[in-house]
Amino acid sequence: MNEFELIQRYFWRQTVVRQDVAIAIGDDAAVIDIPAGYQLVVSTDVLVEGVHFPSDAAAQAIGHKALAVNLSDMAAMGAEPAWFTLNLSLPDVDENWLEAFCRGMFDLAGEYNVQLIGGDTVKGPRTIGIQINGLVPTGQALTRSGAASGDYIYVTGTLGDAALALAHHQGKLTLTEDEQQKVSSRLHTPEPRVRIGQGLRGIANSAIDISDGLAADLGHILEMSKVGARLNMPDIPLSSVYRTHFEVAGGYATAVGFGDDYELCITVPGDKTDKLESIGLELGCRFYLIGEIESEAGIRWITADGERWEPPSHGYSHFR
Ligand code: ADP
Ligand code: MG
């Protein structure tokens, strides 16, 4: 199978066909209609074998996760994802792998009505680069720079479960079958908080998705908003599985330092908390209050005993 046959076979048939795609895959470039009153929101994320997923990872999960991490960036901006491109580098044409990869990717694309509109396919080390494009009503994007002193800080779900699943996968600790079931999807097939992100427009002052750990990602909000935070550590949501293995998993250091959670961290002013509660009910999402924004720079982590604590590392950073 040559490159062109591969592209035709796997990427031309679309599960999602959007009305606003004037020219889709097959021409030199895609052409899309942008509605008046909206801004285009663009983001990209690359997954490299051996860095972001192990060589033996299931292809279906890789397809899901490659798109999920991009959708998560749309969620953090409060955008409605709409179109994506796929840059694929593959060492060989492994049809079983491609079949499963496409299933994982297109199933998730169908869930959020996002259409694959183009890409490039080359031979090389297995690498998946996706660029995602979405829409937001003009001026309503959520940003990292809008947090204000007095805002309440929330996260949308438990932290540390992906780290726990990876530690099990690497043989660093042992989970029961039942525990694995509960946390492995957090690592392999994360659910991006897309609808929640859109629901937070006009409510949250700032937002970020937690890909590198709460410490690092909240840190980005604080830096860009020129504020600080006080966090009440017992309020940081941990799953029952995580709490069972708390010590061996690395405690709060791992839960707030490892990342790959793809929950949102948001800040909300006091006069919007009732609105937050109603969209939580509407979307079936729980917002966990973990602290407050303060004017003094830095994060003050407060333990159950009222003591100060510092995380040992500041999340995952390439080239460090
Ligand atoms: P060109 O040489 O002009 O870049 P290609 O042969 O690379 O053209 O691509 C032909 C068409 O197939 C283009 O519309 C391109 O966007 C699409 N395409 C190529 N690779 C992929 C891919 N991995 N996923 C989606 N579309 C792809
Ligand atoms: Mg090309």
Side-chain angles (χ1 to χ4, degrees):
M1 194 185 311
N2 67 28
E3 177 195 330
F4 187 70
E5 286 166 346
L6 184 155
I7 294 167
Q8 265 202 325
R9 169 120 190 234
Y10 290 100
F11 302 120
W12 282 33
R13 255 181 299 124
Q14 286 299 306
T15 45
V16 173
V17 179
R18 293 176 60 103
Q19 292 297 310
D20 50 17
V21 177
I23 299 175
I25 295 176
D27 216 309
D28 292 307
V31 177
I32 51 184
D33 300 319
I34 309 290
Y38 286 82
Q39 289 173 307
L40 188 63
V41 184
V42 181
S43 178
T44 186
D45 253 318
V46 181
L47 266 63
V48 179
E49 182 176 279
V51 179
H52 303 95
F53 58 89
S55 329
D56 61 353
Q60 188 170 346
I62 297 169
H64 175 106
K65 191 162 177 176
L67 183 56
V69 300
N70 279 278
L71 289 170
S72 183
D73 284 319
M74 292 287 109
M77 298 302 290
E80 179 196 332
W83 318 278
F84 69 106
T85 57
L86 171 67
N87 288 330
L88 203 54
S89 169
L90 298 172
D92 49 37
V93 180
D94 177 342
E95 295 215 46
N96 289 331
W97 191 92
L98 273 163
E99 196 71 57
F101 172 82
C102 283
R103 205 177 320 126
M105 182 178 70
F106 285 131
D107 281 356
L108 187 62
E111 222 177 291
Y112 292 102
N113 195 36
V114 293
Q115 183 173 344
L116 179 64
I117 54 166
D120 204 10
T121 308
V122 299
K123 189 179 165 86
R126 189 164 279 138
T127 303
I128 302 116
I130 287 182
Q131 188 220 37
I132 194 148
N133 306 271
L135 294 170
V136 70
T138 299
Q140 288 188 36
L142 303 176
T143 66
R144 298 178 177 187
S145 57
S149 189
D151 280 4
Y152 294 107
I153 305 168
Y154 299 85
V155 292
T156 53
T158 60
L159 306 182
D161 296 325
L164 197 63
L166 184 67
H168 172 85
H169 188 83
Q170 294 174 334
K172 291 177 180 162
L173 53 82
T174 307
L175 303 177
T176 65
E177 279 288 328
D178 186 48
E179 289 175 332
Q180 276 182 62
Q181 284 254 304
K182 286 184 174 136
V183 297
S184 76
S185 65
R186 294 298 309 268
L187 176 65
H188 297 296
T189 53
E191 271 307 319
R193 305 302 186 198
V194 174
R195 292 184 185 94
I196 297 169
Q198 288 171 56
L200 289 168
R201 295 196 294 240
I203 296 175
N205 268 349
S206 70
I208 193 166
D209 66 318
I210 304 177
S211 53
D212 298 328
L214 177 67
D217 290 320
L218 175 60
H220 295 315
I221 287 184
L222 303 181
E223 244 166 65
M224 292 196 62
S225 302
K226 299 191 171 60
V227 290
R230 164 177 295 259
L231 295 181
N232 189 28
M233 294 171 67
D235 291 336
I236 294 171
L238 304 175
S239 68
S240 60
V241 183
Y242 195 92
R243 274 185 263 118
T244 302
H245 298 274
F246 186 83
E247 292 301 335
V248 57
Y252 280 107
T254 299
V256 306
F258 179 81
D260 242 10
D261 301 302
Y262 301 104
E263 297 294 348
L264 298 180
C265 174
I266 59 168
T267 78
V268 177
D271 62 356
K272 298 276 174 63
T273 53
D274 48 342
K275 281 192 174 166
L276 184 73
E277 204 171 308
S278 51
I279 78 135
L281 286 173
E282 192 186 316
L283 298 175
C285 167
R286 177 149 175 216
F287 296 101
Y288 297 85
L289 176 63
I290 59 170
E292 266 180 60
I293 297 292
E294 298 177 333
S295 54
E296 189 192 336
I299 304 180
R300 285 155 293 285
W301 303 83
I302 310 296
T303 68
D305 303 326
E307 312 265 307
R308 286 283 297 273
W309 176 85
E310 286 300 328
S313 88
H314 284 274
Y316 187 80
S317 175
H318 292 264
F319 307 117
R320 194 182 281 163

